[in-house]
Amino acid sequence: MVSIIRKNAKEAKKGRVIGLVFFGIFAVVGSVMSYAMSIRPAAKVIMAGNWTQAACRILSAEVESHRGDDSTTYKIKIVYQYEYNGSIYKSDRYDFMNMSSSGYKRKAEVVRKYQQEKNRYAL
């Protein structure tokens, strides 16, 4: 009888360890994804609030498409240049997520707006 109780206790402990490892993997992956998809971009938006505004010239604006096995995703790509402290910089940062997603129509509307401003300086 004592050996059955010890065996059941060992199996219960083994089950708890396996459960903790399984949960731990999901907790780590979930934390990393949460940081990458919400916390980090939000922090960058807050820091960008302190940036100095500068006029920029739109060099190009387009909707990039990324074909996958099942669907196509889209991303806004706007290239611009600006002057800051006497130096000219070129960038293509439109947002802080740097991801593509479905929904071509809304992205095309944004790009059309910036294409109209191409080669003009705007604030």
Side-chain angles (χ1 to χ4, degrees):
M1 183 72 151
V2 173
S3 65
I4 294 173
I5 293 172
R6 285 186 187 156
K7 186 176 180 182
N8 286 341
K10 286 182 182 179
E11 287 179 11
K13 185 176 181 181
K14 183 179 176 182
R16 283 193 296 271
V17 169
I18 290 171
L20 284 172
V21 169
F22 185 75
F23 172 75
I25 291 169
F26 278 97
V28 168
V29 170
S31 297
V32 169
M33 294 298 289
S34 177
Y35 174 77
M37 295 184 73
S38 61
I39 296 169
R40 188 168 186 243
K44 287 184 174 187
V45 168
I46 291 168
M47 290 187 305
N50 295 325
W51 291 355
T52 303
Q53 278 192 341
C56 70
R57 189 175 98 198
I58 306 298
L59 302 175
S60 67
E62 64 182 324
V63 178
E64 283 186 344
S65 63
H66 304 275
R67 297 196 195 315
D69 292 338
D70 297 331
S71 65
T72 301
T73 57
Y74 306 96
K75 179 180 176 182
I76 295 171
K77 172 103 185 229
I78 298 173
V79 179
Y80 53 92
Q81 75 178 28
Y82 61 96
E83 183 178 341
Y84 179 72
N85 281 345
S87 297
I88 295 178
Y89 298 90
K90 185 177 176 181
S91 183
D92 65 354
R93 168 143 344 256
Y94 175 74
D95 62 20
F96 292 107
M97 291 295 286
N98 200 25
M99 294 173 43
S100 59
S101 62
S102 61
Y104 176 84
K105 185 178 178 181
R106 174 68 182 117
K107 292 170 183 68
E109 289 172 7
V110 170
V111 165
R112 269 192 296 280
K113 173 187 162 197
Y114 285 100
Q115 283 174 336
Q116 293 171 356
E117 297 297 322
K118 190 174 175 183
N119 293 321
R120 284 191 256 165
Y121 277 90
L123 185 60

